[in-house]
Amino acid sequence: GSTDRIGIGIATPNTIFEVVGVASTTQLRVGGYDGANGLVAGMLFGTCNLTQATLAASTTANFPCTGATGLRGTEKVFVLATSSLVSGTFTSMLLIRAASTSIASQINVDISNIGDLTSGAAKQVSGTLNFWAVR
């Protein structure tokens, strides 16, 4: 058309390519034109649960985050803490340093207790993490 736009399920698309409704694919290419770059075979969103454990001040430990339904153990994962990551006051300073998966339905999360503004105390780590995984 005159706007050089393609719409599927929409008569007047707002962008160059717009799909309105449910779409599916077995592979999605994001950037790049060769097979080695940007190939996404699937995306998964969900939550996982950290079992409560103590993390000493100024230390890093690995925590299993279980119940990540649908995770196969080979995806690239990204996690985001919810407000339930640590119990107690807002003076705690926890940092998620890394997340990886090699076991189905589990994300291994490195969490650091980088101190406490009042006492440098150990913290009880627990709660739910949101995750996004790319295949």
Side-chain angles (χ1 to χ4, degrees):
S2 62
T3 60
D4 292 328
R5 296 179 181 175
I6 298 171
I8 298 175
I10 184 169
T12 55
N14 297 304
T15 59
I16 291 173
F17 180 71
E18 184 174 356
V19 177
V20 175
V22 177
S24 65
T25 181
T26 56
Q27 293 184 337
L28 174 68
R29 189 174 314 278
V30 181
Y33 292 102
D34 59 32
N37 293 312
L39 189 60
V40 176
M43 291 184 272
L44 181 66
F45 301 88
T47 61
C48 61
N49 302 301
L50 293 166
T51 302
Q52 185 170 340
T54 300
L55 182 57
S58 302
T59 62
T60 298
N62 187 271
F63 295 87
C65 196
T66 59
T69 304
L71 211 59
R72 296 185 298 196
T74 55
E75 291 86 0
K76 307 288 188 266
V77 295
F78 308 89
V79 295
L80 176 66
T82 65
S83 60
S84 67
L85 178 61
V86 65
S87 59
T89 66
F90 289 104
T91 58
S92 60
M93 301 176 82
L94 295 179
L95 173 68
I96 296 176
R97 297 183 62 169
S100 64
T101 180
S102 59
I103 300 170
S105 299
Q106 178 176 307
I107 301 171
N108 301 312
V109 183
D110 286 347
I111 300 176
S112 295
N113 182 350
I114 57 174
D116 186 286
L117 297 176
T118 58
S119 66
K123 293 296 174 189
Q124 293 297 312
V125 175
S126 66
T128 301
L129 298 179
N130 296 307
F131 76 85
W132 173 51
V134 179
R135 294 187 174 134

